[in-house]
Amino acid sequence: MRIAIRRLVRNLVTMGQKASKSKSNYDYDHFPFFSDTDTIQTVKEAHTFFILRGLPGSGKSTFCTKFLATYPSSIACTVETAPVAERDESDGDWFAKVDEKIQQGLKDVKNIILVDDKHRSAQRLDYLAGLAKDNDYVVAVVTSVTKWEKPADSLERIIPYYFGWFLLRKSAQEMRRNAEDFLNLLTCNEVFSEEFKPNVEWHSEEEFNLQEYFQKKPSTLHCTTKFCNFGEAPGCESYACSEVVEQNYAKAFTLEVTALFVTPRTVGARVVLDKNQKLLWPREEASEGGRDSAEAELPLGSRSHITLACAPGIKAVQTGLDLLDILKLEKEGEKPEHQMEMEKGLLSCYGLGRWIVELTKPVEVKTLFSGFYPRKKLTTDLENN
Ligand code: A2P
């Protein structure tokens, strides 16, 4: 009898050890939003939509508990676990409760929304990312895994349209104000108007106005690191899987804007990266869409910029190319055609409507490093599969 009791006690102890061991099987410290003080503070100030993925048993519930403890003002939108056989992800009802809670979170202007609805389909992710985009939230897709797994082992990796640093709303507003001031000052500058106007087409009866001319303004501001085109751009797979991207995903960064520039096509802000930020800059010399030789001739990360506005018919990708063009002229020692001090700093013109002001006081912008997951392509992928 005593032996039986001892055995029972030993078994209970072993079971207890197993249970507590399995709890520590989830290692969340590699997520910067759990371990990095600056990121925790920044996430509290930002507007972020966390989409949690993971197989059953990967620790999503424990993740949610830890998340709510770190971010008590966030809203967690989760579904009760349902038997696998009953799940039909194309059935909207299954998600109705989660969706209600998300809508509530948006209505209450919660700045952190965590969604764990155990979705697997591209269509569902597509829907969630679309909601986040429409409401100006940064999206972070995070995968919960046990200690011995890598995210790629459990679920298919989702490659975004592009990776980059996404400006917090407050920083974006500040940058927009800076861009507006810059354009207003230039519009009033006679030397600028005389040089710039012959380089653009202006069909309006109204007097030329830069604000009117640069009508296309991005709704969210970001600094692209790697354009992936949903996995179709060369080198994007290895970039997405790289340790540096995995370690820095959803991490806070402060970027330094050192100059503003305008050309007949684009308005942009030049970003100068520090050595840690440069680690996230893709190393390959050529990729889709014009990473041309100009980039290779300049120091790594020279192209880093924030697109602030584009002329009609011009795509945002042009901003980086316009910046490289100006930097190349500077590097070659080209003498500016015009140069003058203005309120913001030294303004130089390199001809053909290319103007840049080096800011006397660089602007620091707060960002989160993440991916952009727009609606269209994910739906298309699903339909094609
Ligand atoms: P950026 O503004 O930093 O130049 P689109 O509006 O054409 O769909 O592109 C979305 C974003 O992706 C753009 O803002 C642009 O970023 C970036 N982008 C688009 N095409 C490329 C490309 N070929 N190479 C690098 N970045 C690109």
Side-chain angles (χ1 to χ4, degrees):
M1 180 68 178
R2 264 200 200 151
I3 294 174
I5 290 173
R6 236 183 268 146
R7 218 176 266 156
L8 180 66
V9 170
R10 202 174 49 223
N11 284 349
L12 285 173
V13 169
T14 320
M15 275 164 66
Q17 279 170 348
K18 271 188 189 155
S20 67
K21 194 173 163 214
S22 75
K23 266 198 177 166
S24 67
N25 287 341
Y26 310 127
D27 178 6
Y28 301 125
D29 285 347
H30 62 282
F31 291 121
F33 49 85
F34 281 147
S35 57
D36 178 54
T37 327
D38 183 36
T39 301
I40 294 174
Q41 190 48 43
T42 305
V43 168
K44 286 180 179 172
E45 292 168 33
H47 292 79
T48 320
F49 210 96
F50 284 88
I51 300 174
L52 181 59
R53 311 168 76 217
L55 293 173
S58 61
K60 291 199 297 299
S61 307
T62 318
F63 180 103
C64 287
T65 310
K66 189 172 166 66
F67 193 88
L68 285 172
T70 314
Y71 303 102
S73 67
S74 62
I75 183 166
C77 311
T78 64
V79 281
E80 296 305 317
T81 314
V84 176
E86 286 173 25
R87 292 182 197 170
D88 177 1
E89 296 196 4
S90 59
D91 176 0
D93 287 348
W94 205 72
F95 295 110
K97 274 201 174 138
V98 183
D99 287 346
E100 248 174 56
K101 211 156 175 201
I102 296 173
Q103 290 301 342
Q104 191 59 45
L106 294 171
K107 207 169 138 221
D108 295 346
V109 207
K110 289 279 183 190
N111 72 325
I112 310 169
I113 298 180
L114 170 67
V115 184
D116 165 23
D117 60 12
K118 299 170 177 64
H119 71 275
R120 308 274 170 71
S121 74
Q123 192 179 34
R124 181 65 184 164
L125 178 66
D126 182 3
Y127 169 74
L128 295 173
L131 260 187
K133 179 179 179 285
D134 294 346
N135 290 280
D136 194 14
Y137 280 70
V138 176
V139 171
V141 181
V142 289
T143 307
S144 175
V145 286
T146 51
K147 262 183 184 169
W148 50 85
E149 273 177 306
K150 290 198 93 203
D153 298 338
S154 61
L155 287 171
E156 199 193 327
R157 186 181 297 277
I158 295 164
I159 301 209
Y161 189 40
Y162 55 83
F163 284 98
W165 290 286
F166 294 82
L167 275 68
L168 266 60
R169 286 186 196 173
K170 218 169 145 195
S171 286
Q173 267 170 12
E174 193 187 345
M175 273 321 299
R176 285 198 187 97
R177 263 199 310 272
N178 265 299
E180 247 173 60
D181 287 353
F182 179 50
L183 295 188
N184 287 339
L185 285 170
L186 290 179
T187 300
C188 303
N189 185 312
E190 274 178 29
V191 183
F192 170 83
S193 294
E194 215 169 281
E195 194 281 339
F196 191 79
K197 276 198 250 170
N199 291 293
V200 298
E201 284 182 27
W202 180 251
H203 302 296
S204 166
E205 301 279 293
E206 308 266 315
E207 213 179 312
F208 181 72
N209 177 336
L210 284 173
Q211 298 281 7
E212 290 292 315
Y213 177 68
F214 288 110
Q215 277 173 11
K216 272 178 72 182
K217 295 188 177 118
S219 54
T220 52
L221 296 189
H222 71 274
C223 173
T224 310
T225 53
K226 174 74 188 166
F227 179 68
C228 298
N229 202 8
F230 305 104
E232 279 162 35
C236 66
E237 192 86 36
S238 59
Y239 180 82
C241 302
S242 65
E243 213 170 300
V244 66
V245 168
E246 283 190 355
Q247 283 170 355
N248 288 289
Y249 189 83
K251 184 173 179 181
F253 288 86
T254 300
L255 302 185
E256 191 176 63
V257 170
T258 63
L260 298 172
F261 57 93
V262 59
T263 75
R265 298 160 296 278
T266 60
V267 183
R270 182 183 181 200
V271 173
V272 171
L273 305 176
D274 68 20
K275 78 174 187 319
N276 285 332
Q277 293 158 359
K278 274 188 190 159
L279 296 176
L280 281 163
W281 197 258
R283 310 259 137 187
E284 81 274 13
E285 282 176 15
S287 80
E288 192 182 281
R291 283 188 186 234
D292 59 11
S293 54
E295 195 170 9
E297 287 168 25
L298 292 163
L300 186 82
S302 294
R303 181 176 171 157
S304 45
H305 68 278
I306 300 163
T307 297
L308 296 168
C310 294
I314 301 293
K315 290 191 156 202
V317 64
Q318 185 60 44
T319 320
L321 304 176
D322 283 355
L323 174 61
L324 288 176
D325 183 31
I326 294 174
L327 295 181
K328 205 168 152 233
L329 292 170
E330 280 180 355
K331 189 184 168 219
E332 285 164 358
E334 179 96 3
K335 244 180 131 294
E337 282 183 15
H338 305 280
Q339 200 161 51
M340 64 198 87
E341 277 296 340
M342 70 184 295
E343 209 178 293
K344 290 184 176 298
L346 185 65
L347 179 68
S348 305
C349 167
Y350 287 96
L352 302 174
R354 297 167 295 185
W355 291 74
I356 184 163
V357 61
E358 300 295 333
L359 299 173
T360 321
K361 247 176 60 197
V363 180
E364 291 196 333
V365 289
K366 284 191 170 189
T367 70
L368 286 173
F369 177 73
S370 187
F372 183 67
Y373 306 83
R375 190 169 275 171
K376 204 170 118 228
K377 178 70 183 190
L378 284 167
T379 310
T380 318
D381 277 354
L382 187 82
E383 281 159 6
N384 291 343
N385 284 336

